[in-house]
Amino acid sequence: MNTIPAEEAAAIYRNAVLKVMHRETQMVKTEESLGRITASAVYARYCSPLYNAAAMDGIAVISAHTATASEVTPLVLKQGVDYQVVDTGDPVRMPYDAVIMAEDLLDAEEDSVKITASVPAWQHIRPVGEDIVAGEMLLAGNHKIRPIDIGVLLSGGIVEIEAIKKPKAGIIPTGTEIIEADQVPREGDIIESNSRMFAAMTESSGGIPRRYPPIPDDYEKIKHAVQGAVKENDIVIVNAGSSAGTEDYTVHILKELGEVLVHGVAIKPGKPVILSIVEGKPVIGLPGYPVSAYIDFENFVRPVMDLYSGETNSSRNVMKAVLSKRLVSSLKHKEYVRVKVGKVDDRFVASPLARGAGAAMSLVRADGFCIIEKNSEGYEAGETVSVELFRDIEEISNTVVAIGSHDLILDILADRMPLTHPGIYLSSTHVGSMAGLMALKRGEAHIAPTHLLDEDTGVYNIPYLKRLFSDRDMVLIKGVRRIQGIIVKKGNPLGIKEIRDLTGVNYVNRQRGAGTRVFLDYKLKEAGIAPSEVNGYDREAATHMAVAALVKNGGADAGMGIYSAAKAMDLDFIPVGEEEYDFATEKKNLELPKIQAFIEVLKSSGFKEKAMTIGGYELSMAGEIIEV
Amino acid sequence: MNTIPAEEAAAIYRNAVLKVMHRETQMVKTEESLGRITASAVYARYCSPLYNAAAMDGIAVISAHTATASEVTPLVLKQGVDYQVVDTGDPVRMPYDAVIMAEDLLDAEEDSVKITASVPAWQHIRPVGEDIVAGEMLLAGNHKIRPIDIGVLLSGGIVEIEAIKKPKAGIIPTGTEIIEADQVPREGDIIESNSRMFAAMTESSGGIPRRYPPIPDDYEKIKHAVQGAVKENDIVIVNAGSSAGTEDYTVHILKELGEVLVHGVAIKPGKPVILSIVEGKPVIGLPGYPVSAYIDFENFVRPVMDLYSGETNSSRNVMKAVLSKRLVSSLKHKEYVRVKVGKVDDRFVASPLARGAGAAMSLVRADGFCIIEKNSEGYEAGETVSVELFRDIEEISNTVVAIGSHDLILDILADRMPLTHPGIYLSSTHVGSMAGLMALKRGEAHIAPTHLLDEDTGVYNIPYLKRLFSDRDMVLIKGVRRIQGIIVKKGNPLGIKEIRDLTGVNYVNRQRGAGTRVFLDYKLKEAGIAPSEVNGYDREAATHMAVAALVKNGGADAGMGIYSAAKAMDLDFIPVGEEEYDFATEKKNLELPKIQAFIEVLKSSGFKEKAMTIGGYELSMAGEIIEV
């Protein structure tokens, strides 16, 4: 599999598709045409107004007959002879050629009025065709219908329009190991989810998805499915098997059935993509990792779908942001790095997230992509970069950015925030306590959730803030007291009782700088045990939940963590001590409405009740401010 | 009807609605949840990966057993004892705890391999829960589902989610004069189109519209319809009858049935809006003029719908642009002025369009609103203003802005441009030749369509460019030769034969600066007729089509115009002379890709064929460049 640059691959494919494709059109009722794209220009059938219409409530008069009226020589007009009463919108017929507003009439009797000024012809009349003239072009071709267009089309007498037919996209999931989402997975199974993501992406780019049942890794079966889908659709997507592995049949099948124009693109994630034409239809092989598949869909499937659908408006919002960390990339490919963007101190900061192709959650958490072009080695921390946004810039501006230690209460806070404070959000990135404080220091976060024990004083968090932020006014927003302990398998089969017992088991540790690791180190020292005596001390997991998952699934016998994580995974828990999990921030941030909202949620009974149902928390101080 | 400020009205209403409303939720299949909004946080049921999985094709080994391997002391491993073959994604079970890539294996036999380096535990293994940990929050509440979310939800074992129910909006059109769009309108009829626009707006703001049949202006009938709609919907819209006119019953009905909180808002267009609560449901009376109705929907209906639907992302894009004309507004209200935005010479220029509430087409043509706040008198030409955009900024940047004289070929060009040059557009504003040249001079347009006869030389356009742009390098992009003449009723009942005959009839003229008016003036002078001898010389219509529409509908007996306008309206036409309709631009603009595209379309056979079918054009020079 040789790779070629992404732009070149897209251009080759576009030209090949343009040669074989044809767009179809269909008539659509105007009232059902929202979001459809016109196949050709639409011309008005009627004028609007359809006739000369009164623009005011009043009387229609013959302007020439009012010429002598003045303050000195008022004129009395007779109904039926000199005027007719009209309401706004009523037709004004010849010989009447002007309207006088009701409030300008004097001595109005049953059938006569007095006026004291002449009126020019066409006063207060909306002439026929003032808004729309019959025969006039209402909409150009290739125009996406908006609500106001529907109003104007109907006013112009157009009850149906010729629209571009939505392209049909066939989606074929393949793989012996995949199961449907409603089945109970066993070890070795992978839940099929990509095809549903593609279906939604197809829909949101103006196509009609058709998802076929999964096909096992079998050359003939996949070939048969592709042949069927090519007949029934405009575009076909095969997923996965686009790599060059032993069971990756897709490329061989597409070579047999048609022409493979591209196999392998210098893009990361997303390298193993296949772009082919089979019987005059584009057939695209997408990789299995969800992030790769997503990026390849955006780069290679959507542009092709746009050729069929006539959509042009799929361009992303691009913004400038300051990069929080150095980003190194290979010269060999164009790389899409997921970033979270926060507005801190009036500047937008982009923080890179996990880069693995398998990390789909990092795409959910991301606000956009920072793209590192091929032949670029990347960017330095502090550089201003362009970010392709998925999220509204206003939403980003109204988000509290938390970077630091993870606790399940962060999820609860993030969930409750937009409910009680509409339009305000909390986003959290979990890097451990110390890394969170460093992010706060670099201006990347508003708050840093932290639980760092000072070994000398036995005090939590405050000594660290004093040491790290000696030049700034800091506060601690109190969070919760929570229980730290050893997470073990249900029933505690190894009979672990205390720290000393960790020496004999397969342990999983937290990363350097995590409060839980600091806590372990403190406890090991207390017990006189060297880290090297703990088997697995060097193996790191990033969150309490990741530790619990490893214990649950046999990847480890024990790990230090919080009660709520053990409970969420239905594991046993041996309490070791209590600690303080708080939120560090700069004092000036307390004035920000979004930080005030955060504190309000933290103090709310709604939040506290939710946290109590999880258990393992003491909440009496939540939301209190401690000046450091 | 007293008016209160728009923001105050919205706040009063919001608070009143919050007191009575309740949101409902429903379960939605994950695969069908695109665009739905989560009612509460969603937590993962399974981990992803579900098990410790090989991240590479190769062999799974026991890391501790590889400790002695080195270049000097290679180690031979036996299949089934020391290793198992794994493909990417395969489970790696205890005691195996690391993967060696296939390409790092030496002397690979059927059931043995050689390795020359030890491997650390967990090498090339994606541990259980690396992407998603069971129990982890996947999505917060009030989150709008995107394609990637669907993928992650399914991977986490979530096959259905609790979503906020879409609010139902009942829409009641009223008015004795309104007819359905598929009926043939007669004088006095108005085609009902607002309700369809509201339905589309409801849909695009996350609601489900239900449109009721039109009700005539009858107190009891409207009352009955409102009562029924309130029972069946979450929100009800009544249109129109929201003014204070004699047949405007809506406010009285709403007062009888419930509480009217606001009647009349200091907003323009859109003053006569009614905000009420009937039996715990918001009922909103919207005005009849489409532009007023649109603006009131955006300001008062959409925010209420958002409260029910959970949508928050309806904020508009705002951009800065330079105002092309002075905009004067009353201190008494907040005014929404429709503007067209063009990117000319690297700056964005906003040109105000028609301001009437009845001018729905100007809303179709607009790119956004320039909002003049209450208590502001407006803006000066050249001031930088904020524009709330409806259109993509990239699309605006790729649009050729034409300001000047109107001809039907502009419509054809605008229609063909995006078809032959995807992503490039032509927008035209019709102000007459001279006003177009002035706009070009002020840097508001790329091209000015013009047909101005120089009386002294008999030459078209070039003398005007020389005079007006003496300091700039200008070119004329040749357009068409076309026939000017007198447009009269079918069968020419008044027997008009020449310019002289215009003195005896009801004439409609074009506005000052229009090429057609210059042409008339020239012909009148030639014939020795004073303008004052022509009855209607001072009455102005803005386009050829508007002139033709007035003649067609009896508003005038005759008007000067082009053959294509007479033909489009099925009118008779008395040719008077031929003229040259060209496009003026600055020479430097010829380098712009969008101007090149414009010239290409002008020269294309596709365009010429279309123009020929209209008739009255001579196209041999179309697209030629004349340096001035």
Side-chain angles (χ1 to χ4, degrees):
Chain A
M1 183 165 51
N2 296 312
T3 62
I4 62 168
E7 291 75 12
E8 196 184 322
I12 289 171
Y13 201 45
R14 180 190 158 86
N15 289 333
V17 172
L18 280 174
K19 271 183 209 145
V20 295
M21 68 168 287
H22 46 96
R23 260 189 203 169
E24 291 176 47
T25 68
Q26 66 182 145
M27 298 311 292
V28 175
K29 282 175 92 173
T30 300
E31 62 196 63
E32 292 162 3
S33 67
L34 181 65
R36 297 304 296 265
I37 295 171
T38 55
S40 53
V42 185
Y43 296 87
R45 201 167 147 214
Y46 305 130
C47 288
S48 172
L50 275 157
Y51 45 85
N52 297 318
M56 296 284 176
D57 290 358
I59 60 170
V61 298
I62 302 158
S63 59
H65 295 185
T66 66
T68 61
S70 72
E71 293 282 349
V72 185
T73 58
L75 196 67
V76 174
L77 303 176
K78 294 260 172 242
Q79 180 158 12
V81 183
D82 300 313
Y83 73 87
Q84 283 185 328
V85 175
V86 287
D87 279 335
T88 305
D90 284 349
V92 178
R93 300 189 180 89
M94 291 292 138
Y96 301 108
D97 66 353
V99 168
I100 304 175
M101 286 165 70
E103 41 266 64
D104 291 341
L105 303 174
L106 301 174
D107 301 345
E109 305 272 331
E110 180 90 14
D111 56 0
S112 75
V113 296
K114 194 156 79 181
I115 59 169
T116 55
S118 66
V119 288
W122 304 102
Q123 172 181 282
H124 298 323
I125 288 184
R126 292 184 64 211
V128 57
E130 186 190 59
D131 188 14
I132 299 170
V133 180
E136 171 183 23
M137 187 175 77
L138 295 175
L139 301 175
N142 227 59
H143 173 89
K144 192 170 190 168
I145 307 277
R146 305 161 298 176
I148 180 70
D149 300 326
I150 292 177
V152 162
L153 287 168
L154 293 173
S155 294
I158 306 302
V159 293
E160 59 173 14
I161 59 155
E162 190 188 6
I164 297 172
K165 235 182 184 170
K166 294 183 171 202
K168 282 182 281 187
I171 300 161
I172 308 173
T174 74
T176 306
E177 70 288 1
I178 62 176
I179 59 165
E180 293 284 24
D182 56 2
Q183 291 176 271
V184 177
R186 285 165 309 180
E187 197 184 57
D189 290 342
I190 293 176
I191 295 174
E192 204 294 299
S193 62
N194 281 349
S195 70
R196 307 298 186 181
M197 176 174 81
F198 300 147
M201 293 175 94
T202 298
E203 228 178 283
S204 65
S205 49
I208 300 173
R210 172 165 176 186
R211 189 246 193 194
Y212 291 86
I215 315 284
D217 290 318
D218 176 306
Y219 190 96
E220 287 304 321
K221 282 184 183 156
I222 296 174
K223 180 178 148 187
H224 185 74
V226 171
Q227 287 175 311
V230 164
K231 283 202 183 66
E232 294 169 346
N233 299 280
D234 299 300
I235 300 167
V236 175
I237 295 164
V238 186
N239 185 243
S242 65
S243 264
T246 44
E247 289 182 354
D248 294 333
Y249 299 126
T250 311
V251 74
H252 306 293
I253 292 166
L254 297 180
K255 275 183 181 160
E256 186 192 326
L257 295 178
E259 188 189 358
V260 171
L261 291 115
V262 171
H263 184 204
V265 174
I267 194 169
K268 185 183 170 185
K271 178 180 157 197
V273 66
I274 307 168
L275 309 177
S276 80
I277 306 272
V278 175
E279 291 177 29
K281 308 276 179 76
V283 179
I284 296 149
L286 292 178
Y289 277 131
V291 181
S292 310
Y294 180 91
I295 289 170
D296 283 340
F297 191 106
E298 287 291 328
N299 279 284
F300 305 108
V301 182
R302 193 189 287 272
V304 165
M305 212 169 282
D306 286 354
L307 292 179
Y308 285 82
S309 66
E311 295 269 351
T312 51
N313 217 343
S314 43
S315 68
R316 295 215 175 286
N317 274 332
V318 175
M319 72 170 303
K320 297 280 175 193
V322 175
L323 200 62
S324 72
K325 278 189 210 144
R326 191 175 181 214
L327 263 187
V328 179
S329 179
S330 156
L331 295 173
K332 285 191 291 186
H333 47 241
K334 179 175 184 176
E335 186 170 358
Y336 283 70
V337 180
R338 284 142 271 176
V339 295
K340 211 156 178 68
V341 181
K343 192 181 183 191
V344 184
D345 290 345
D346 288 323
R347 58 174 205 164
F348 287 96
V349 181
S351 309
L353 297 173
R355 288 163 87 171
M361 264 313 278
S362 70
L363 192 49
V364 168
R365 292 199 188 100
D367 297 321
F369 284 124
C370 172
I371 298 173
I372 307 173
E373 294 298 337
K374 187 165 141 63
N375 301 323
S376 159
E377 288 185 314
Y379 302 105
E380 296 300 321
E383 251 188 273
T384 297
V385 295
S386 291
V387 177
E388 268 193 23
L389 286 183
F390 325 138
R391 203 161 152 234
D392 198 69
I393 217 163
E394 209 180 305
E395 222 176 285
I396 289 175
S397 304
N398 291 329
T399 296
V400 176
V401 179
I403 304 183
S405 171
H406 179 248
D407 189 281
L408 292 172
I409 66 161
L410 278 177
D411 291 348
I412 302 174
L413 291 167
D415 184 35
R416 296 198 65 80
M417 190 90 118
L419 297 175
T420 55
H421 295 76
I424 301 188
Y425 303 86
L426 169 66
S427 91
S428 61
T429 307
H430 314 131
V431 296
S433 296
M434 186 57 82
L437 292 177
M438 297 318 291
L440 187 63
K441 196 163 179 175
R442 289 192 301 269
E444 296 163 18
H446 299 107
I447 57 174
T450 179
H451 58 116
L452 287 168
L453 173 63
D454 181 50
E455 292 192 20
D456 298 334
T457 60
V459 172
Y460 269 91
N461 301 323
I462 291 174
Y464 285 84
L465 292 193
K466 283 195 170 139
R467 220 173 296 146
L468 288 169
F469 297 87
S470 54
D471 53 340
R472 296 192 218 174
D473 281 344
M474 302 297 293
V475 296
L476 205 58
I477 303 169
K478 290 301 288 179
V480 296
R481 290 183 70 85
R482 63 180 190 183
I483 302 165
Q484 280 277 13
I486 303 167
I487 298 172
V488 297
K489 282 206 175 47
K490 188 84 179 168
N492 194 4
L494 298 181
I496 295 165
K497 296 221 163 52
E498 49 169 354
I499 289 291
R500 183 158 302 278
D501 297 336
L502 295 183
T503 53
V505 303
N506 184 12
Y507 183 78
V508 56
N509 203 355
R510 291 292 306 284
Q511 78 276 29
R512 210 174 295 270
T516 302
R517 182 161 171 153
V518 172
F519 182 82
L520 173 74
D521 290 346
Y522 180 72
K523 289 291 169 188
L524 287 176
K525 205 169 163 190
E526 229 180 36
I529 302 166
S532 59
E533 293 178 59
V534 178
N535 175 27
Y537 181 89
D538 289 327
R539 186 172 165 213
E540 298 179 353
T543 64
H544 298 285
M545 290 297 277
V547 167
L550 283 166
V551 172
K552 178 84 178 180
N553 292 274
D557 296 324
M560 189 70 78
I562 54 176
Y563 172 74
S564 55
K567 190 185 169 199
M569 284 274 181
D570 194 25
L571 294 166
D572 275 10
F573 183 77
I574 300 113
V576 175
E578 232 184 34
E579 62 170 12
E580 293 172 37
Y581 177 86
D582 302 320
F583 305 96
T585 190
E586 288 198 58
K587 191 177 176 186
K588 64 176 186 197
N589 286 341
L590 293 178
E591 286 161 29
L592 298 175
K594 57 189 171 188
I595 297 295
Q596 287 167 8
F598 174 77
I599 295 169
E600 278 167 32
V601 177
L602 202 53
K603 284 181 166 173
S604 70
S605 55
F607 160 68
K608 290 183 179 175
E609 277 161 28
K610 271 265 186 186
M612 292 308 283
T613 62
I614 298 185
Y617 296 114
E618 200 285 310
L619 293 139
S620 60
M621 291 282 281
E624 301 283 313
I625 309 294
I626 310 285
E627 303 220 4
V628 178
Chain B
M1 184 165 50
N2 294 312
T3 63
I4 62 166
E7 291 74 13
E8 194 183 322
I12 288 170
Y13 201 44
R14 181 190 157 85
N15 289 333
V17 172
L18 279 174
K19 269 183 210 145
V20 296
M21 69 168 286
H22 46 95
R23 261 190 202 170
E24 290 176 47
T25 68
Q26 66 182 142
M27 297 311 291
V28 175
K29 282 174 91 172
T30 301
E31 62 196 62
E32 291 163 3
S33 66
L34 181 66
R36 298 302 296 267
I37 294 171
T38 55
S40 53
V42 185
Y43 294 87
R45 202 169 145 212
Y46 304 130
C47 288
S48 171
L50 273 158
Y51 45 85
N52 297 319
M56 296 284 175
D57 291 357
I59 60 170
V61 298
I62 301 158
S63 60
H65 294 184
T66 67
T68 62
S70 73
E71 293 282 350
V72 185
T73 57
L75 197 65
V76 173
L77 303 177
K78 293 258 171 243
Q79 179 158 9
V81 184
D82 300 313
Y83 73 88
Q84 284 186 328
V85 175
V86 287
D87 280 335
T88 305
D90 283 348
V92 177
R93 299 188 181 91
M94 291 291 141
Y96 300 108
D97 67 352
V99 167
I100 304 175
M101 284 164 73
E103 43 265 62
D104 292 341
L105 302 176
L106 301 175
D107 301 344
E109 306 272 333
E110 179 91 12
D111 56 358
S112 77
V113 295
K114 195 154 80 181
I115 60 168
T116 55
S118 66
V119 287
W122 305 101
Q123 170 181 283
H124 297 324
I125 289 183
R126 292 184 65 212
V128 57
E130 187 191 58
D131 187 15
I132 299 170
V133 179
E136 171 184 25
M137 186 174 76
L138 296 175
L139 302 174
N142 227 59
H143 173 90
K144 192 170 191 167
I145 306 278
R146 305 161 300 175
I148 182 69
D149 301 325
I150 292 178
V152 163
L153 287 168
L154 293 173
S155 294
I158 306 302
V159 293
E160 58 173 16
I161 59 154
E162 190 188 6
I164 298 171
K165 234 182 184 172
K166 294 182 172 203
K168 281 183 281 187
I171 301 161
I172 308 173
T174 73
T176 305
E177 71 288 1
I178 62 176
I179 59 164
E180 293 285 21
D182 56 2
Q183 291 177 269
V184 177
R186 285 165 309 181
E187 197 183 59
D189 289 342
I190 293 175
I191 295 174
E192 203 293 298
S193 63
N194 280 348
S195 71
R196 307 298 186 180
M197 176 175 81
F198 300 148
M201 293 175 94
T202 298
E203 228 178 282
S204 65
S205 50
I208 299 173
R210 171 164 177 186
R211 189 245 194 193
Y212 291 87
I215 314 283
D217 290 319
D218 176 306
Y219 190 97
E220 286 305 320
K221 282 185 182 154
I222 297 175
K223 179 177 149 186
H224 185 74
V226 171
Q227 286 175 310
V230 163
K231 282 202 182 66
E232 295 170 346
N233 299 279
D234 300 300
I235 300 166
V236 174
I237 296 164
V238 185
N239 183 243
S242 65
S243 264
T246 43
E247 289 182 354
D248 294 332
Y249 299 127
T250 311
V251 73
H252 306 294
I253 292 166
L254 297 180
K255 276 182 181 159
E256 186 192 327
L257 296 177
E259 188 189 358
V260 170
L261 292 115
V262 171
H263 184 204
V265 174
I267 193 169
K268 186 183 170 184
K271 178 180 156 196
V273 65
I274 307 167
L275 307 177
S276 80
I277 306 273
V278 175
E279 291 178 30
K281 309 274 178 79
V283 179
I284 296 148
L286 292 177
Y289 277 131
V291 181
S292 312
Y294 180 91
I295 290 170
D296 284 340
F297 190 105
E298 286 291 328
N299 278 283
F300 305 109
V301 183
R302 192 189 288 273
V304 165
M305 212 168 285
D306 286 353
L307 293 178
Y308 285 82
S309 67
E311 295 268 353
T312 50
N313 216 343
S314 44
S315 68
R316 292 215 177 287
N317 274 331
V318 175
M319 71 170 303
K320 296 283 176 192
V322 175
L323 199 62
S324 72
K325 280 189 210 143
R326 190 174 182 216
L327 263 186
V328 179
S329 179
S330 156
L331 295 173
K332 285 191 293 186
H333 48 240
K334 179 175 184 175
E335 185 170 359
Y336 283 69
V337 180
R338 283 143 273 175
V339 294
K340 214 162 174 65
V341 181
K343 191 181 183 190
V344 184
D345 291 343
D346 288 323
R347 57 174 206 164
F348 288 96
V349 181
S351 308
L353 297 172
R355 288 164 86 172
M361 263 313 278
S362 70
L363 192 49
V364 168
R365 293 199 186 99
D367 297 319
F369 285 125
C370 170
I371 299 173
I372 307 172
E373 294 297 336
K374 188 165 141 62
N375 300 325
S376 159
E377 288 184 314
Y379 302 105
E380 296 300 322
E383 250 188 270
T384 297
V385 296
S386 292
V387 176
E388 268 193 21
L389 287 183
F390 325 138
R391 204 163 150 231
D392 197 71
I393 216 162
E394 207 180 306
E395 220 175 287
I396 290 175
S397 303
N398 291 329
T399 297
V400 176
V401 179
I403 304 183
S405 171
H406 179 248
D407 188 282
L408 291 173
I409 67 161
L410 279 177
D411 291 348
I412 301 174
L413 292 167
D415 184 33
R416 295 198 64 80
M417 189 89 119
L419 296 176
T420 56
H421 296 76
I424 302 189
Y425 303 87
L426 168 67
S427 90
S428 61
T429 307
H430 314 132
V431 296
S433 296
M434 185 57 82
L437 292 176
M438 299 317 292
L440 187 64
K441 196 165 178 172
R442 289 191 302 267
E444 295 163 20
H446 299 107
I447 57 174
T450 178
H451 58 116
L452 286 169
L453 172 63
D454 181 49
E455 293 192 16
D456 299 333
T457 61
V459 172
Y460 270 90
N461 301 323
I462 291 175
Y464 285 84
L465 292 192
K466 283 195 171 140
R467 219 174 296 145
L468 288 168
F469 297 89
S470 53
D471 55 337
R472 295 192 218 175
D473 281 344
M474 302 297 291
V475 295
L476 205 59
I477 303 169
K478 291 300 289 179
V480 295
R481 290 182 69 84
R482 63 180 191 183
I483 303 165
Q484 280 277 13
I486 304 166
I487 299 172
V488 297
K489 280 207 176 49
K490 188 85 179 167
N492 193 6
L494 298 181
I496 296 166
K497 293 223 164 49
E498 49 169 353
I499 290 289
R500 184 159 302 280
D501 298 335
L502 295 182
T503 55
V505 302
N506 184 12
Y507 184 78
V508 56
N509 203 355
R510 291 289 307 283
Q511 78 277 27
R512 209 174 297 269
T516 302
R517 182 161 171 155
V518 173
F519 182 84
L520 172 75
D521 290 347
Y522 180 71
K523 290 290 170 188
L524 288 175
K525 205 169 161 191
E526 226 179 36
I529 303 165
S532 59
E533 293 177 62
V534 178
N535 174 28
Y537 181 89
D538 290 327
R539 187 174 164 211
E540 298 179 352
T543 64
H544 298 285
M545 291 296 280
V547 167
L550 284 166
V551 172
K552 178 83 178 181
N553 292 273
D557 296 323
M560 189 71 77
I562 53 175
Y563 171 73
S564 56
K567 189 185 169 199
M569 282 276 180
D570 192 25
L571 294 167
D572 276 10
F573 182 76
I574 299 113
V576 174
E578 232 184 34
E579 61 169 12
E580 294 171 36
Y581 177 86
D582 303 318
F583 305 96
T585 189
E586 288 198 58
K587 190 177 176 186
K588 65 174 187 201
N589 286 342
L590 293 178
E591 285 160 29
L592 298 175
K594 57 189 173 188
I595 297 296
Q596 288 166 7
F598 174 77
I599 295 170
E600 279 166 31
V601 177
L602 202 52
K603 285 181 165 174
S604 70
S605 56
F607 159 69
K608 290 183 178 175
E609 277 161 29
K610 271 266 185 185
M612 292 307 283
T613 63
I614 298 185
Y617 296 114
E618 199 285 311
L619 293 140
S620 59
M621 292 281 281
E624 301 283 312
I625 309 295
I626 309 285
E627 302 219 5
V628 176

